[in-house]
Amino acid sequence: MTMPEGLERPLPKIGRDLFDVLVIRADFSDDEAWNAVVGELRRPWGPGDEFPARVLLVDAPAWSGATADEVLAAAVDEDLSVVFLADRETMQSPARALLALSTVWEEESELDPVYYQELIESPEPREFRAGPAAAHGVQVDLALGNADFAEYAGAASEEPDQVLRPI
């Protein structure tokens, strides 16, 4: 994936820990909604709220209107398995659901159809919606290999509003 010509949206050089949730703001239409998302992301999480929130926010107008593909093109980090996008739907939905994007996927055009026909016909999901309170659990489980992206996408798809909530 490459960035459209003339469009530069590099991620800032930031030190990121394996368990930090990376959230990119792509919609600047509602500061109150964004502040609600940030507030929820900064709350302790886990059983009994025992874990401190670890969040890296990219809140730069240069990212306004960024698409999932643009975010994924910029999110090049071998330790990063998911990035969260705060887009227009995030700001407008009552759940403030972020778009979780998998940074790990196979390019189907490069797969040998003899060996990978099933993957070509049914590719792994690349995205799902998650409430801000669920982002930490997703990040940690994916970083540790306790779950894979498809499991979380499947859990989100089973919810009436298609939004993953903390488990």
Side-chain angles (χ1 to χ4, degrees):
M1 258 177 272
T2 58
M3 200 69 69
E5 200 168 314
L7 182 61
E8 291 295 322
R9 289 183 173 154
L11 289 175
K13 300 283 186 216
I14 48 179
R16 191 184 77 74
D17 184 83
L18 189 62
F19 301 120
D20 291 348
V21 174
L22 175 60
V23 180
I24 298 173
R25 182 180 183 186
D27 184 273
F28 290 79
S29 65
D30 188 340
D31 286 338
E32 188 175 318
W34 171 244
N35 291 332
V37 169
V38 171
E40 205 170 327
L41 284 166
R42 290 190 171 152
R43 287 191 188 125
W45 66 281
D49 294 334
E50 64 183 299
F51 302 116
R54 298 181 55 108
V55 183
L56 291 174
L57 301 172
V58 177
D59 185 7
W63 285 94
S64 182
T67 66
D69 285 339
E70 290 168 337
V71 168
L72 290 171
V76 180
D77 178 343
E78 64 186 42
D79 293 327
L80 183 65
S81 55
V82 63
V83 63
F84 295 89
L85 183 63
D87 59 4
R88 180 168 302 281
E89 188 172 331
T90 302
M91 303 307 173
Q92 293 178 347
S93 84
R96 303 285 182 236
L98 300 162
L99 184 61
L101 301 167
S102 174
T103 63
V104 181
W105 73 88
E106 297 289 336
E107 183 65 47
E108 289 92 13
S109 64
E110 296 173 8
L111 296 177
D112 183 342
V114 172
Y115 297 104
Y116 296 102
Q117 192 62 40
E118 185 177 335
L119 181 59
I120 292 169
E121 291 174 359
S122 300
E124 292 285 317
R126 284 187 50 197
E127 62 187 45
F128 65 89
R129 291 275 167 188
H136 298 288
V138 171
Q139 174 64 39
V140 169
D141 278 348
L142 293 177
L144 293 174
N146 292 340
D148 64 28
F149 195 88
E151 289 176 75
Y152 278 113
S157 72
E158 292 173 3
E159 294 297 321
D161 62 355
Q162 308 287 293
V163 175
L164 181 72
R165 301 224 167 32
I167 297 173

